[in-house]
Amino acid sequence: MMKIVFALLLTNAFAFVPSSTVVTPVARRPHGGQPVMLVSRDAVSGLTAPLRKLGNIFAAAPAVAEKPATTQVAVKKSLSDPITKDEVRAAVRAWCDGIVDIGRVYKSGGDYKARAIQHIEKHYAFDSITEGSKLLFKPTLASEYNFRSDMDEFISYFIGDGVYSEDGGFAIKPWDAVRFDTFGTFIVPGGSSGTTSGIYHFTPSAAPDTEVKVEYTFQFIRSKTDPSQLKIVLHHSSVPFSK
């Protein structure tokens, strides 16, 4: 493409050359190769002004508008849209990232309680509980109060806010990273809920070369207030059995 453009420029440049300019062809065979055409110094000088005129023509040409960059628009979901396995996996990933971020805020001296509440409200279906039902949460590090269902109990477990003395604040251990391996995901017929089980691996800040292995099961539904978001109605977490 560049060769074509250059040829056009050169052709048009010669169109501007005054008739008095002499271009003298001189045949020469460099190192026994093909003949080449040499142009005299006077001819080159005669081309300077025409090439400058061509530059002015291109400078005056209207600029071609660039195509705007395409952006991906988030697809809105409704409560009737079936939940997909990809959505379930993304929801588990977001939960793991949130746990790490609570620890980051804690280490930096920020308002980690506010960040924990934000995490709980984002990932657990407190906005979608029907009358007579409750959220089902079985935390990993709970032996006396094995199950949790209300906001205060969730906060107590994640940051040790004093509701139960056994809670040391799981999310403010803190953790540098959380990765997970999915064992399997089950989407109910019709897609109104998705359940997934697997193992997540927590990297503690105090021992970044180690990992803590924990088993998990999450069940998700679509949020009634924002159906594009999946929220947890059941969360079971435990350490593997040890002989």
Side-chain angles (χ1 to χ4, degrees):
M1 183 65 183
M2 290 300 295
K3 290 181 179 179
I4 295 173
V5 172
F6 179 75
L8 289 172
L9 284 172
L10 195 57
T11 301
N12 283 280
F14 275 103
F16 283 101
V17 177
S19 58
S20 59
T21 302
V22 178
V23 179
T24 305
V26 180
R28 179 179 296 175
R29 294 176 180 269
H31 306 292
Q34 296 296 320
V36 298
M37 187 69 71
L38 298 180
V39 181
S40 68
R41 181 175 300 177
D42 291 339
V44 173
S45 299
L47 287 173
T48 304
L51 286 174
R52 186 178 294 114
K53 289 181 180 179
L54 277 177
N56 293 336
I57 291 172
F58 278 99
V64 178
E66 293 186 5
K67 294 176 65 176
T70 56
T71 56
Q72 288 189 336
V73 179
V75 178
K76 288 290 185 180
K77 300 286 186 176
S78 68
L79 286 172
S80 60
D81 285 330
I83 290 172
T84 67
K85 290 183 178 181
D86 285 344
E87 286 182 293
V88 169
R89 183 172 181 82
V92 176
R93 177 71 271 163
W95 184 91
C96 294
D97 291 345
I99 293 297
V100 173
D101 198 54
I102 294 170
R104 178 192 63 79
V105 174
Y106 173 76
K107 287 188 293 184
S108 67
D111 190 347
Y112 62 92
K113 181 175 182 178
R115 180 64 185 90
I117 292 172
Q118 181 188 49
H119 175 82
I120 294 165
E121 290 177 341
K122 177 179 179 180
H123 295 289
Y124 293 89
F126 281 102
D127 62 344
S128 305
I129 300 173
T130 57
E131 186 176 354
S133 64
K134 61 174 64 176
L135 297 185
L136 306 176
F137 180 26
K138 164 57 183 72
T140 312
L141 305 179
S143 59
E144 186 176 356
Y145 299 95
N146 305 80
F147 298 94
R148 312 296 172 89
S149 62
D150 65 39
M151 178 63 78
D152 289 339
E153 291 174 326
F154 276 61
I155 295 171
S156 179
Y157 178 73
F158 283 117
I159 62 170
D161 203 35
V163 174
Y164 298 126
S165 58
E166 70 173 337
D167 293 337
F170 179 81
I172 60 172
K173 181 162 183 73
W175 310 99
D176 280 352
V178 185
R179 63 182 182 89
F180 66 97
D181 301 313
T182 302
F183 169 73
T185 300
F186 175 76
I187 308 295
V188 299
S192 60
S193 74
T195 304
T196 186
S197 290
I199 294 173
Y200 31 41
H201 308 266
F202 294 83
T203 301
S205 298
D209 294 330
T210 65
E211 288 186 327
V212 177
K213 182 178 178 180
V214 181
E215 303 154 338
Y216 70 82
T217 296
F218 290 106
Q219 183 180 17
F220 295 95
I221 63 170
R222 291 200 181 280
S223 166
K224 287 185 177 179
T225 58
D226 181 5
S228 296
Q229 298 292 321
L230 298 192
K231 294 200 173 183
I232 302 164
V233 292
L234 180 149
H235 179 190
H236 182 102
S237 186
S238 58
V239 294
F241 172 73
S242 135
K243 294 182 180 179

